[in-house]
Amino acid sequence: QAFGVPMMAIKFMLICLQSMKFWLRSAHGVADNPFSAGIELPFMGLGQGSGSAASAFTADSALMINAYKRLGHGCRFTSCITGTLFFFAAIVYVDDTDLLIHAKTPQAPRKDLFKMIQDALNDWTNIVMASGGSNKPTKCHVSIADYKYVKGVAKMKSKAEILRDHPRLKFTVPMKEGPPVEIDLNDPKTSKLTLGMYTNLAGEWKDHLKEIERKGLEWSSRLRSNKYLKPGDGWLSLNIQLKPSLEYGLVCVSECPLKVSKVLDRIYYR
């Protein structure tokens, strides 16, 4: 409604979705019992493949991020070339969200930063729950970039070093029912799968390159052992199945180009 959509259109779409019943169909047949929303729990998705889902998500997530920013969260950055100042609160893509937080000053106590992180987790999770969603603790984690100086050179601290300095450190996310649940504190070099990319806070890409190599060699091995596919079908599978899955996101990889080429060469020229 805040984006100018008529109230009647909103009511019409949401009432239909909330009153419809959906039966799951799988290889085992159609489910006996349907799932649906109701008066007690009116929250319902916008429908898989719905033409309005993308724009509705944009409107919804914009309001969520604005609410999060009004609570005082987010970071100010200055671009290194033009000196442009811009504000980042979160990076959101459907169900993947990165909350960006940094200390107010380089001299700020670490405990103040940790409190900022926990406050951000609490506020964002409450906003998500207010919109009908929830954060799954097993898919939530925190990574901290803390530095030490070795012979005048800044080195990122490991998880063990951070916990040695702050042994009682932990982070939690609120739940709809019950107490908050503790989530993982990652080592900066531990990679997590996010939007199809294995990334980490230290900016190392060896885990993602290993996954590319594993996926490619596995595909190649299956193709070589298959006696029924024609050569043309193999090339078709390479171009429309394998290559897009391997090269997806390579534009984001800041690894040495020679290392990336060696990994791809071991797959394509096998």
Side-chain angles (χ1 to χ4, degrees):
Q1 189 178 7
F3 286 81
V5 181
M7 177 60 78
M8 184 59 70
I10 297 173
K11 285 185 175 181
F12 182 77
M13 181 178 70
L14 294 182
I15 289 174
C16 286
L17 287 169
Q18 292 168 4
S19 59
M20 292 172 66
K21 296 183 183 298
F22 299 86
W23 280 262
L24 290 176
R25 175 180 291 174
S26 67
H28 301 286
V30 179
D32 295 330
N33 299 316
F35 69 93
S36 65
I39 297 176
E40 299 82 7
L41 188 66
F43 300 113
M44 190 66 183
L46 295 172
Q48 182 74 19
S50 168
S52 63
S55 55
F57 173 79
T58 300
D60 186 48
S61 58
L63 295 176
M64 292 169 65
I65 292 177
N66 284 338
Y68 178 72
K69 289 165 65 176
R70 283 197 298 270
L71 292 171
H73 303 295
C75 301
R76 286 179 172 82
F77 293 92
T78 303
S79 62
C80 58
I81 297 178
T82 64
T84 303
L85 179 68
F86 58 98
F87 189 87
F88 252 152
I91 302 172
V92 181
Y93 185 84
V94 192
D95 59 347
D96 280 298
T97 301
D98 289 332
L99 303 179
L100 307 177
I101 304 153
H102 64 56
K104 293 182 178 179
T105 65
Q107 295 78 25
R110 298 294 188 273
K111 64 179 182 179
D112 291 351
L113 173 62
F114 301 153
K115 184 179 184 303
M116 289 172 61
I117 295 173
Q118 185 59 63
D119 289 344
L121 288 170
N122 292 341
D123 289 340
W124 179 255
T125 303
N126 287 329
I127 291 171
V128 170
M129 289 192 292
S131 70
S134 62
N135 285 335
K136 193 173 183 179
T138 55
K139 293 189 176 182
C140 299
H141 55 267
V142 174
S143 297
I144 299 176
D146 193 4
Y147 292 87
K148 61 182 179 180
Y149 286 87
V150 180
K151 297 181 179 179
V153 178
K155 300 288 186 181
M156 191 175 291
K157 289 184 180 180
S158 66
K159 173 183 175 180
E161 290 173 313
I162 293 173
L163 291 177
R164 184 187 61 199
D165 297 337
H166 309 277
R168 301 177 65 180
L169 179 63
K170 67 176 183 178
F171 298 100
T172 62
V173 291
M175 296 284 100
K176 289 183 178 179
E177 298 179 357
V181 176
E182 185 174 351
I183 60 176
D184 288 340
L185 173 62
N186 289 339
D187 188 275
K189 294 184 179 181
T190 298
S191 299
K192 292 288 185 177
L193 181 62
T194 305
L195 298 178
M197 304 288 291
Y198 284 89
T199 61
N200 56 65
L201 200 61
E204 296 185 354
W205 293 96
K206 60 181 181 180
D207 292 332
H208 187 69
L209 293 181
K210 284 181 180 178
E211 177 60 18
I212 287 178
E213 185 171 11
R214 182 203 65 78
K215 187 184 296 183
L217 294 181
E218 184 178 286
W219 178 91
S220 176
S221 178
R222 290 201 308 267
L223 181 66
R224 291 161 65 92
S225 63
N226 192 301
K227 300 178 181 180
Y228 303 101
L229 283 179
K230 298 178 181 179
D233 293 331
W235 281 105
L236 183 66
S237 178
L238 170 69
N239 290 317
I240 70 173
Q241 181 185 32
L242 180 65
K243 288 186 69 175
S245 68
L246 298 185
E247 298 177 4
Y248 162 79
L250 279 185
V251 67
C252 304
V253 176
S254 55
E255 184 59 271
C256 171
L258 182 60
K259 291 182 180 180
V260 178
S261 296
K262 284 183 177 180
V263 170
L264 295 178
D265 287 348
R266 282 197 290 270
I267 299 169
Y268 294 150
Y269 294 100
R270 180 168 175 170

